[in-house]
Amino acid sequence: MDYSILGWPGDGPTLHLDHERFAYAGKFVLPSTGKAVAREDNVIVAAAAFDADRTDGTCLRVRYVTVRDDRREAGIGPRLLALVVDRARDRGFADVKAGVNNPLAYEAFYKSGLAYTGERTGLAELVCEWPAPDGRSGARYRAGLDRFRAPEREPSEVERAFLETREGAAPPPVDADGTVRN
């Protein structure tokens, strides 16, 4: 698997992803965000879009992450996110944030080194951040999962099953350098 940054927001990178295989495919055509990809045998299997926060230029915002439908749950998304965080640090960003809208994505962000801040944004998205607040406390991790369990969120069957497996769980581990441990 090859993970790389295609370009930063000012570079104007674009991607044309198959909308039937990738969630949010249309968002990657826009040149206003930076892009990172994971490729296997020179074929894109995951992508991330990001840019500087509109109100804080020291914060990088991950806007979208998508993994091809047949490659989900293989750890590709967290590894791609870890690359984005690592390169953001290299470029001088003080922190990285993202709004997360489902528990599976929440877990991926945790695996990449981000953690729930306790805040919400947008349409009931939970804010995750690197560096991790509270040193990635188990209580904070479980509080985020509890938000996804709320009846008004109407979790899908897949989400409910996933949440059941995380009842009382500790945050998933990441290596000191932000890479995911299998």
Side-chain angles (χ1 to χ4, degrees), residues 8-60:
W8 292 88
D11 302 333
T14 62
L15 279 176
H16 296 276
L17 302 173
D18 180 350
H19 72 277
E20 292 180 358
R21 310 278 321 262
F22 291 93
Y24 311 112
K27 302 295 185 180
F28 290 86
V29 177
L30 303 173
S32 58
T33 57
K35 311 289 186 307
V37 297
R39 287 187 178 102
E40 185 174 59
D41 299 325
N42 214 24
V43 175
I44 293 174
V45 295
F50 47 87
D51 60 7
D53 185 273
R54 291 175 184 94
T55 61
D56 180 359
T58 68
C59 175
L60 185 78

Coordinates of all heavy atoms in Angstrom, one line a residue, residues 8-60:
W8 N -1.4 20.1 -1.3 CA -2.0 20.9 -0.2 C -3.0 21.9 -0.8 O -3.1 22.0 -2.0 CB -0.9 21.6 0.5 CG -0.1 20.6 1.2 CD1 1.0 20.0 0.8 CD2 -0.3 20.1 2.5 NE1 1.5 19.1 1.7 CE2 0.7 19.1 2.8 CE3 -1.3 20.3 3.5 CZ2 0.7 18.4 4.0 CZ3 -1.2 19.6 4.7 CH2 -0.2 18.6 4.9
P9 N -3.9 22.5 0.0 CA -5.0 23.3 -0.5 C -4.6 24.3 -1.6 O -5.2 24.4 -2.6 CB -5.5 24.0 0.7 CG -5.2 23.0 1.8 CD -3.9 22.4 1.5
G10 N -3.5 25.0 -1.4 CA -3.0 26.0 -2.4 C -2.6 25.4 -3.7 O -2.5 26.1 -4.7
D11 N -2.3 24.1 -3.7 CA -1.9 23.4 -5.0 C -3.0 23.1 -5.9 O -2.8 22.8 -7.1 CB -1.2 22.1 -4.6 CG 0.1 22.3 -3.7 OD1 0.6 23.4 -3.8 OD2 0.4 21.3 -3.0
G12 N -4.3 23.1 -5.4 CA -5.4 22.8 -6.2 C -5.6 21.4 -6.7 O -6.1 21.2 -7.8
P13 N -5.2 20.3 -5.9 CA -5.4 19.0 -6.4 C -6.9 18.6 -6.5 O -7.7 19.0 -5.8 CB -4.7 18.1 -5.4 CG -4.9 18.9 -4.1 CD -4.8 20.4 -4.5
T14 N -7.2 17.8 -7.5 CA -8.5 17.2 -7.7 C -8.4 15.7 -7.9 O -7.4 15.2 -8.3 CB -9.2 17.8 -8.9 OG1 -8.5 17.5 -10.1 CG2 -9.3 19.4 -8.8
L15 N -9.5 15.1 -7.5 CA -9.6 13.6 -7.7 C -11.0 13.3 -8.3 O -12.0 13.9 -7.9 CB -9.5 12.9 -6.4 CG -8.2 12.6 -5.8 CD1 -8.3 12.0 -4.4 CD2 -7.3 11.7 -6.7
H16 N -11.1 12.4 -9.2 CA -12.3 11.9 -9.7 C -12.5 10.5 -9.3 O -11.9 9.6 -9.8 CB -12.4 12.0 -11.2 CG -12.3 13.4 -11.7 ND1 -13.4 14.2 -11.8 CD2 -11.2 14.2 -12.1 CE1 -13.0 15.5 -12.2 NE2 -11.7 15.4 -12.4
L17 N -13.3 10.3 -8.2 CA -13.6 9.0 -7.6 C -14.9 8.4 -8.1 O -15.9 9.2 -8.3 CB -13.6 9.1 -6.1 CG -12.3 9.6 -5.5 CD1 -12.5 9.8 -4.0 CD2 -11.1 8.7 -5.7
D18 N -15.0 7.2 -8.2 CA -16.3 6.5 -8.6 C -17.3 6.7 -7.5 O -17.1 6.2 -6.4 CB -16.0 5.0 -8.8 CG -17.2 4.2 -9.3 OD1 -18.4 4.8 -9.2 OD2 -17.1 3.0 -9.6
H19 N -18.4 7.4 -7.8 CA -19.4 7.7 -6.8 C -20.1 6.4 -6.3 O -20.8 6.5 -5.2 CB -20.4 8.7 -7.3 CG -21.3 8.2 -8.3 ND1 -21.0 8.1 -9.6 CD2 -22.6 7.7 -8.2 CE1 -22.0 7.7 -10.3 NE2 -23.0 7.4 -9.5
E20 N -20.0 5.4 -7.0 CA -20.7 4.1 -6.6 C -19.8 3.3 -5.6 O -20.3 2.4 -4.9 CB -21.1 3.3 -7.8 CG -22.2 3.9 -8.6 CD -22.6 3.1 -9.8 OE1 -22.0 2.0 -10.0 OE2 -23.5 3.5 -10.5
R21 N -18.5 3.6 -5.6 CA -17.6 2.9 -4.7 C -17.0 3.7 -3.5 O -16.5 3.1 -2.6 CB -16.4 2.4 -5.5 CG -16.6 1.7 -6.8 CD -17.0 0.3 -6.8 NE -16.3 -0.6 -5.9 CZ -15.2 -1.4 -6.2 NH1 -14.7 -1.3 -7.4 NH2 -14.8 -2.2 -5.3
F22 N -17.1 5.0 -3.6 CA -16.6 5.9 -2.6 C -17.7 6.9 -2.1 O -18.3 7.6 -2.9 CB -15.5 6.8 -3.2 CG -14.2 6.0 -3.5 CD1 -14.0 5.5 -4.8 CD2 -13.2 5.8 -2.5 CE1 -12.8 4.9 -5.1 CE2 -12.0 5.2 -2.8 CZ -11.8 4.7 -4.1
A23 N -17.8 7.0 -0.8 CA -18.7 8.0 -0.2 C -18.1 9.3 -0.4 O -16.9 9.5 -0.5 CB -18.9 7.7 1.3
Y24 N -18.9 10.4 -0.5 CA -18.4 11.7 -0.7 C -17.6 12.0 -1.9 O -16.8 12.9 -2.0 CB -17.6 12.2 0.5 CG -18.3 12.0 1.9 CD1 -17.7 11.1 2.7 CD2 -19.4 12.6 2.2 CE1 -18.3 10.8 4.0 CE2 -20.0 12.4 3.4 CZ -19.5 11.5 4.3 OH -20.0 11.3 5.5
A25 N -17.7 11.1 -2.9 CA -16.8 11.2 -4.1 C -16.8 12.6 -4.8 O -15.8 13.1 -5.2 CB -17.2 10.1 -5.2
G26 N -17.9 13.2 -4.8 CA -18.0 14.5 -5.5 C -17.2 15.6 -4.7 O -16.8 16.6 -5.4
K27 N -17.0 15.4 -3.5 CA -16.2 16.5 -2.7 C -14.7 16.5 -3.1 O -14.1 17.5 -2.8 CB -16.3 16.2 -1.2 CG -17.8 16.2 -0.7 CD -18.4 17.5 -0.8 CE -19.8 17.5 -0.2 NZ -20.5 18.8 -0.4
F28 N -14.3 15.5 -3.7 CA -12.8 15.4 -4.0 C -12.5 16.0 -5.4 O -11.3 16.2 -5.7 CB -12.4 13.9 -4.0 CG -12.3 13.4 -2.6 CD1 -13.5 12.9 -2.0 CD2 -11.2 13.5 -1.8 CE1 -13.5 12.4 -0.7 CE2 -11.2 13.0 -0.5 CZ -12.3 12.5 0.0
V29 N -13.5 16.4 -6.1 CA -13.3 17.1 -7.4 C -12.9 18.6 -7.1 O -12.2 19.2 -7.9 CB -14.6 17.0 -8.3 CG1 -14.4 17.8 -9.5 CG2 -14.9 15.6 -8.6
L30 N -13.3 19.1 -6.0 CA -13.0 20.5 -5.7 C -11.5 20.8 -5.5 O -10.9 20.1 -4.7 CB -13.8 20.9 -4.4 CG -15.3 20.7 -4.5 CD1 -16.0 21.0 -3.1 CD2 -15.9 21.6 -5.6
P31 N -11.0 21.8 -6.1 CA -9.5 22.1 -5.9 C -9.2 22.9 -4.7 O -8.0 23.1 -4.4 CB -9.2 22.9 -7.2 CG -10.5 23.6 -7.5 CD -11.6 22.6 -7.1
S32 N -10.2 23.2 -3.9 CA -9.9 24.1 -2.7 C -9.3 23.4 -1.5 O -8.9 24.0 -0.6 CB -11.2 24.8 -2.3 OG -12.2 23.8 -2.0
T33 N -9.4 22.0 -1.5 CA -8.8 21.3 -0.4 C -7.6 20.5 -0.9 O -7.5 20.1 -2.0 CB -9.8 20.3 0.2 OG1 -10.3 19.4 -0.9 CG2 -11.0 21.0 0.8
G34 N -6.7 20.2 0.1 CA -5.6 19.3 -0.1 C -6.1 17.9 -0.2 O -7.2 17.6 0.3
K35 N -5.3 17.0 -0.8 CA -5.8 15.6 -1.0 C -4.6 14.7 -0.6 O -3.5 14.9 -0.9 CB -6.2 15.3 -2.4 CG -7.2 16.3 -3.0 CD -8.5 16.2 -2.5 CE -9.5 17.0 -3.2 NZ -9.2 18.4 -3.4
A36 N -5.0 13.6 0.0 CA -4.1 12.5 0.3 C -4.8 11.2 -0.2 O -6.0 11.1 -0.1 CB -3.7 12.4 1.8
V37 N -4.0 10.2 -0.6 CA -4.6 9.0 -1.1 C -3.8 7.8 -0.6 O -2.6 7.9 -0.3 CB -4.6 9.0 -2.6 CG1 -5.5 10.0 -3.2 CG2 -3.2 9.0 -3.3
A38 N -4.5 6.7 -0.6 CA -3.8 5.4 -0.4 C -4.1 4.6 -1.7 O -5.2 4.6 -2.3 CB -4.5 4.6 0.7
R39 N -3.0 4.1 -2.3 CA -3.0 3.3 -3.5 C -2.5 1.9 -3.3 O -1.6 1.7 -2.6 CB -2.2 4.0 -4.6 CG -2.7 5.2 -5.1 CD -1.8 5.7 -6.3 NE -2.2 6.9 -6.9 CZ -1.7 8.1 -6.7 NH1 -0.7 8.2 -5.9 NH2 -2.2 9.1 -7.3
E40 N -3.2 1.0 -4.0 CA -2.8 -0.4 -4.0 C -2.7 -0.8 -5.5 O -3.6 -0.6 -6.2 CB -3.8 -1.3 -3.3 CG -3.3 -2.7 -3.2 CD -4.2 -3.5 -2.3 OE1 -5.4 -3.6 -2.6 OE2 -3.8 -4.1 -1.3
D41 N -1.5 -1.2 -5.9 CA -1.2 -1.5 -7.3 C -1.6 -0.4 -8.2 O -2.3 -0.5 -9.2 CB -2.0 -2.8 -7.7 CG -1.5 -4.0 -6.9 OD1 -0.3 -4.1 -6.6 OD2 -2.4 -4.9 -6.6
N42 N -1.3 0.8 -7.7 CA -1.5 2.1 -8.5 C -3.0 2.4 -8.6 O -3.3 3.3 -9.5 CB -0.8 2.1 -9.8 CG -0.3 3.4 -10.2 OD1 -0.1 4.3 -9.3 ND2 -0.1 3.7 -11.5
V43 N -3.9 1.8 -7.8 CA -5.3 2.1 -7.9 C -5.7 2.8 -6.5 O -5.3 2.2 -5.5 CB -6.1 0.8 -8.1 CG1 -7.6 1.1 -8.0 CG2 -5.8 0.2 -9.4
I44 N -6.4 3.9 -6.6 CA -6.8 4.6 -5.3 C -7.8 3.7 -4.6 O -8.8 3.3 -5.2 CB -7.3 6.0 -5.7 CG1 -6.2 6.9 -6.2 CG2 -7.9 6.6 -4.4 CD1 -6.6 8.2 -6.7
V45 N -7.5 3.5 -3.3 CA -8.5 2.7 -2.5 C -9.0 3.6 -1.3 O -9.9 3.2 -0.6 CB -7.9 1.4 -2.0 CG1 -7.6 0.5 -3.1 CG2 -6.6 1.6 -1.2
A46 N -8.4 4.8 -1.1 CA -8.9 5.7 0.0 C -8.4 7.1 -0.4 O -7.4 7.2 -1.0 CB -8.4 5.2 1.3
A47 N -9.1 8.1 0.1 CA -8.7 9.5 -0.1 C -9.2 10.3 1.1 O -10.1 10.0 1.8 CB -9.4 10.0 -1.3
A48 N -8.4 11.4 1.4 CA -8.8 12.3 2.4 C -8.6 13.7 1.8 O -7.8 14.0 1.0 CB -7.8 12.2 3.6
A49 N -9.5 14.6 2.2 CA -9.5 16.0 1.8 C -9.4 16.9 3.1 O -10.0 16.6 4.1 CB -10.8 16.4 1.0
F50 N -8.6 18.0 3.0 CA -8.3 18.8 4.2 C -7.9 20.2 3.7 O -7.5 20.4 2.6 CB -7.1 18.1 5.0 CG -6.0 17.7 4.1 CD1 -5.0 18.6 3.8 CD2 -5.9 16.5 3.6 CE1 -3.9 18.3 3.0 CE2 -4.8 16.1 2.7 CZ -3.8 17.0 2.5
D51 N -8.0 21.1 4.7 CA -7.6 22.5 4.5 C -7.4 23.2 5.8 O -7.7 22.6 6.9 CB -8.5 23.3 3.6 CG -10.0 23.4 4.1 OD1 -10.2 23.0 5.3 OD2 -10.8 23.9 3.4
A52 N -6.9 24.4 5.8 CA -6.7 25.1 7.0 C -8.1 25.6 7.6 O -9.0 25.8 6.8 CB -5.8 26.4 6.8
D53 N -8.2 25.6 8.9 CA -9.4 26.0 9.5 C -9.7 27.5 9.1 O -8.8 28.3 9.0 CB -9.3 25.9 11.0 CG -10.6 26.3 11.7 OD1 -10.8 27.5 12.0 OD2 -11.3 25.3 12.0
R54 N -10.9 27.8 8.8 CA -11.3 29.1 8.3 C -11.0 30.2 9.3 O -10.9 31.4 9.0 CB -12.8 29.1 7.9 CG -13.0 28.3 6.7 CD -14.5 28.2 6.4 NE -14.8 27.3 5.3 CZ -15.1 26.1 5.4 NH1 -15.2 25.5 6.6 NH2 -15.3 25.3 4.3
T55 N -11.0 29.9 10.6 CA -10.8 30.9 11.7 C -9.5 30.8 12.4 O -9.1 31.6 13.2 CB -11.9 30.9 12.7 OG1 -11.9 29.6 13.3 CG2 -13.3 31.1 12.0
D56 N -8.7 29.7 12.1 CA -7.5 29.5 12.8 C -6.5 28.8 11.8 O -6.5 27.6 11.6 CB -7.7 28.6 14.0 CG -6.4 28.3 14.8 OD1 -5.3 28.7 14.4 OD2 -6.5 27.6 15.8
G57 N -5.6 29.6 11.3 CA -4.6 29.1 10.3 C -3.6 28.1 10.8 O -2.9 27.5 10.1
T58 N -3.6 27.9 12.2 CA -2.6 26.9 12.7 C -3.3 25.6 12.9 O -2.7 24.6 13.3 CB -2.1 27.4 14.1 OG1 -3.2 27.4 15.1 CG2 -1.5 28.8 14.0
C59 N -4.6 25.5 12.5 CA -5.3 24.2 12.6 C -5.7 23.7 11.3 O -6.2 24.4 10.4 CB -6.6 24.5 13.4 SG -7.7 23.0 13.5
L60 N -5.3 22.4 11.0 CA -5.7 21.8 9.8 C -7.0 21.0 10.0 O -7.2 20.3 11.0 CB -4.7 20.8 9.3 CG -4.9 20.1 8.0 CD1 -4.6 21.1 6.8 CD2 -4.2 18.8 7.8

